[in-house]
Amino acid sequence: MDPLIQAFAQHLDCDRRRSLHTVRAYRAAAERLAAHLGSARVPDKAELRAFLGARRAEGLSNASAARELSAVRAFCEFIGGEGAAPNVKGARVKRGVPRPIAPGDALALAEDVAGQRAEPWIAARDWALLLLLYGAGLRIGEALALDGDVLPLSDRLAVRGKRDKMRIVPLLPDVRAAVETYVAACPWPMENGKPLFYGMRGRRLEPSTVRVAVRSARAALGLGDRTTPHALRHSFASHLLARGADLRALQELLGHASLSSTQVYTAVDAAHLLDVYRHAHPRA
């Protein structure tokens, strides 16, 4: 790997505290740009447009093209300083509205995932994990990054989110009880520095394992393809907002850096109301 690209990846990881997924994606984009240019350097406007055009010809969607441009801009500014990236407009991306699932479906999903497991402690683990996503609004990565030092649980939980930002989320009694039941049944040690959620072989549980189980359960329950572990976080936010939660408070609970990220859930609530209207109003 080119030393500049390696340094860029280290900068994202150590200085910017970006997630592993983001570091990998941005590093790959920088490598593609360097391969297109023949060297790791800042392109001029025409070169950058040619690179993005070539990427679009490979079948990139608008959203993927926008992410590619964002990564390339970050790389250019790392090399040449702020403002070094050529001023090229990205593709317009229509912001999607999160798709929450009904409270009953969220619980049915968790029950079905747990019910698939032959080992009682693994069933308790999956039930506790999915309740944590729905009941506390955690990202799957945040939940799986929890260590044994969060024990014993209280009515609040400290969560490390994106860019190492800490936030405090309340733990509902049912969620706390589910986690405690799993902890009591788990055969692996619950110690500081050790995972809270273990896989079958005693290592930290992988997100892919959870996603596969959720995919199987949603098929059995007849739920849509967008019913994922992250949809439980969307549901947490949408259901709180529908019950009158303050937008600023919801921003804190979700760990959003910008209020604009939280405001998308107002569109979810409005869409739900419109759907109810269309089905219930005699003149709809």
Side-chain angles (χ1 to χ4, degrees), residues 2-225:
D2 187 284
L4 271 177
I5 297 176
Q6 180 65 36
F8 173 57
Q10 290 175 347
H11 164 70
L12 293 173
D13 182 27
C14 302
D15 301 333
R16 299 295 301 279
R17 303 286 187 180
R18 294 301 183 93
S19 69
L20 180 61
H21 174 77
T22 299
V23 173
R24 285 174 176 168
Y26 276 40
R27 181 179 61 201
E31 289 173 343
R32 286 190 288 268
L33 177 65
H36 178 84
L37 297 174
S39 63
R41 59 179 175 83
V42 177
D44 61 31
K45 198 168 188 176
E47 288 172 329
L48 181 52
R49 280 178 171 166
F51 168 71
L52 294 173
R55 292 289 289 141
R56 290 303 296 269
E58 294 172 7
L60 256 64
S61 66
N62 281 4
S64 295
R67 285 194 294 268
E68 189 87 351
L69 178 57
S70 178
V72 167
R73 280 176 175 157
F75 180 57
C76 290
E77 293 191 351
F78 173 74
I79 297 174
E82 188 174 351
N87 186 17
V88 173
K89 288 186 178 179
R92 288 186 130 189
V93 180
K94 184 178 180 182
R95 190 165 193 177
V97 175
R99 299 287 182 88
I101 58 178
D105 287 341
L107 295 178
L109 182 72
E111 287 176 351
D112 198 275
V113 169
Q116 296 175 22
R117 305 303 194 183
E119 289 282 347
W121 77 267
I122 296 180
R125 177 202 69 191
D126 289 355
W127 172 251
L129 175 61
L130 295 180
L131 278 197
L132 193 58
L133 301 187
Y134 177 56
L138 271 60
R139 301 176 178 93
I140 181 70
E142 293 170 345
L144 296 184
L146 293 172
D147 289 334
D149 54 7
V150 301
L151 302 172
L153 295 174
S154 69
D155 58 354
R156 298 178 184 179
L157 180 67
V159 179
R160 188 178 299 277
K162 289 185 176 180
R163 303 186 189 181
D164 275 351
K165 182 181 178 182
M166 296 296 299
R167 70 183 189 276
I168 303 297
V169 297
L171 275 186
L172 297 171
D174 287 349
V175 176
R176 180 177 171 181
V179 175
E180 289 173 341
T181 298
Y182 153 67
V183 168
C186 181
W188 305 103
M190 293 290 168
E191 302 169 356
N192 290 357
K194 298 286 187 180
L196 176 63
F197 290 105
Y198 280 95
M200 186 181 297
R201 302 183 189 281
R203 298 175 182 172
R204 190 178 298 273
L205 182 62
E206 292 288 337
S208 57
T209 302
V210 184
R211 293 189 181 105
V212 168
V214 167
R215 195 178 303 133
S216 175
R218 79 187 180 205
L221 295 170
L223 300 175
D225 290 346

